[in-house]
Amino acid sequence: MSGDEWSGEEWSADDAEALADADTAAVGDGTADSGHIPVLPAEIIDLLSNVGRRVIVDCTLGLGGHSRMLLEHAPHLQVIGVDRDAANLSLAREQLAAFGDRVRFIHANFAELAGVLNAFGVKRVDGILADLGFSSNQMADPQRGLSFERDGPLDMRLDQQERTTAADLVNTLGEGELSDLLYFQSQERHSRKIAKRICQVRRQGRLNSTVELARLIASAVGESAEGRRGKIHPATRTFMALRMAVNRETESLRSLLQTAPDLLATGGRIVVISFHSVEDRIVKDDFRERARSGVYRLVTRKPLVADDQERTLNRRSRSAKLRCAERLVT
């Protein structure tokens, strides 16, 4: 079932906040100097920086905000920083240069983490951190095509070495495939209407522009692309679904969760910060299943969320949910 027959689980208020904030908040990991504020900083330090931990993998290094915080707080720590965005990895290298050889920088998708660590001769680590957001500099760059409020090409690739762009999906998928993509990736309730309209318009020529697609979506659901009746722009979920599909975000997350137990030393912890219920449910189910089978101990039985002060200072934190599990005897 998809689209207009949608009757599944309602998105939470936090989901709506995350979607509404996507084009305006400082999204992603980074540094205060670059306009980024790492979410849930005290919680990350508490969970990952004790003296028994030596090597932490930051799977979503971004501009280095969480890693900087951990390195400053715990001089004994070493960080392996992984990011699929080569440009941000280069910026993080500059931001974290003062920490010297305490940080290694690796251009890779965290789905490939096992192979990456093996190449460096690392068998076990003491912590794995994954912040599933994306960076505000990525959103602000029109050439990335992530924002429906900035005209640019329909690209959406976080790793420019990837071949498939959002334009490829929009212009080549069948109507049913496109409808299912929008529904299952972001629970877009108007997926059928949007897919039908896209297929009608692309017969007249290829869709390549972010603003063009946003206006098309608004017209398909009977809303204005400028004046918003609801809390979120009508194109938000479609753009989110396309971004997730282009970057294979759900598949990558599942791959990371699958390999993590074999990469964690006894007592090692995996921390995942998600920003909408699709991702959070995947993490919750994985951690609980492994806890039942004796692989993990749940450190957070319920997700940690930002307090009122942080939510006020950092809009992105309003929708953040942090879950942590600890590896039992390996």
Side-chain angles (χ1 to χ4, degrees):
M1 180 182 67
S2 64
D4 306 326
E5 297 177 5
W6 186 88
S7 60
E9 179 182 350
E10 290 286 348
W11 275 46
S12 67
D14 284 344
D15 283 321
E17 286 180 345
L19 293 166
D21 290 347
D23 261 357
T24 55
V27 191
D29 195 11
T31 67
D33 292 342
S34 62
H36 295 266
I37 307 173
V39 300
L40 300 166
E43 290 80 359
I44 293 295
I45 290 174
D46 180 59
L47 292 167
L48 291 177
S49 68
N50 69 50
V51 73
R53 306 190 192 287
R54 295 290 176 182
V55 180
I56 302 293
V57 180
D58 187 342
C59 292
T60 49
L61 185 62
L63 300 183
H66 280 123
S67 286
R68 174 193 288 274
M69 183 178 64
L70 288 167
L71 290 162
E72 288 176 341
H73 185 83
H76 62 277
L77 276 181
Q78 293 185 333
V79 170
I80 299 173
V82 177
D83 204 284
R84 67 195 305 175
D85 185 337
N88 271 3
L89 196 68
S90 179
L91 292 172
R93 192 185 298 273
E94 296 176 9
Q95 296 281 353
L96 302 176
F99 298 100
D101 60 7
R102 292 178 61 199
V103 192
R104 303 184 199 181
F105 301 89
I106 302 170
H107 179 218
N109 184 333
F110 59 58
E112 307 159 358
L113 187 57
V116 166
L117 295 182
N118 183 62
F120 278 86
V122 177
K123 294 183 178 180
R124 295 280 191 276
V125 297
D126 302 300
I128 295 174
L129 169 63
D131 176 348
L132 302 180
F134 48 95
S135 300
S136 58
N137 65 325
Q138 294 169 329
M139 175 65 77
D141 181 0
Q143 294 306 306
R144 297 276 189 163
L146 292 167
S147 171
F148 45 77
E149 293 189 341
R150 298 166 178 84
D151 197 16
L154 277 173
D155 191 319
M156 301 196 187
R157 292 172 298 169
L158 299 181
D159 183 349
Q160 294 298 300
Q161 293 182 359
E162 295 286 349
R163 293 184 178 181
T164 302
T165 67
D168 294 329
L169 298 179
V170 165
N171 288 287
T172 63
L173 290 181
E175 184 176 328
E177 292 176 296
L178 191 54
S179 175
D180 285 346
L181 186 155
L182 301 184
Y183 173 71
F184 288 111
Q185 291 284 5
S186 67
Q187 298 180 352
E188 171 55 72
R189 284 171 282 185
H190 299 294
S191 63
R192 287 187 176 180
K193 291 180 181 178
I194 294 169
K196 182 177 181 179
R197 182 63 176 149
I198 287 173
C199 290
Q200 290 172 339
V201 171
R202 75 187 189 191
R203 295 191 191 105
Q204 304 166 17
R206 184 177 172 88
L207 289 165
N208 289 307
S209 161
T210 54
V211 169
E212 180 185 14
L213 178 61
R215 289 172 177 166
L216 180 159
I217 294 165
S219 68
V221 300
E223 294 191 27
S224 167
E226 288 76 28
R228 304 178 189 178
R229 287 191 318 212
K231 189 171 185 179
I232 67 172
H233 190 285
T236 304
R237 289 177 182 167
T238 295
F239 271 63
M240 173 183 167
L242 290 171
R243 189 203 78 226
M244 292 178 69
V246 165
N247 296 290
R248 305 189 310 279
E249 294 177 25
T250 300
E251 298 93 322
S252 295
L253 176 58
R254 292 187 188 279
S255 294
L256 174 65
L257 296 174
Q258 180 66 32
T259 59
D262 293 332
L263 302 177
L264 287 169
T266 299
R269 290 177 172 178
I270 176 170
V271 175
V272 181
I273 304 172
S274 60
F275 293 87
H276 57 80
S277 59
V278 174
E279 292 174 335
D280 181 60
R281 191 179 305 114
I282 292 172
V283 177
K284 177 182 68 175
D285 291 347
D286 181 90
F287 284 6
R288 287 184 176 179
E289 178 60 32
R290 297 185 194 280
R292 283 193 290 267
S293 62
V295 175
Y296 283 158
R297 174 182 73 86
L298 295 180
V299 180
T300 56
R301 294 194 172 276
K302 293 184 177 180
L304 302 183
V305 297
D307 60 22
D308 291 341
Q309 182 178 10
E310 182 177 1
R311 289 165 66 92
T312 300
L313 295 173
N314 183 5
R315 290 182 64 182
R316 182 199 180 210
S317 71
R318 298 192 304 175
S319 52
K321 292 184 178 181
L322 182 155
R323 293 185 186 271
C324 177
E326 183 175 285
R327 185 67 161 101
L328 298 179
V329 177
T330 55

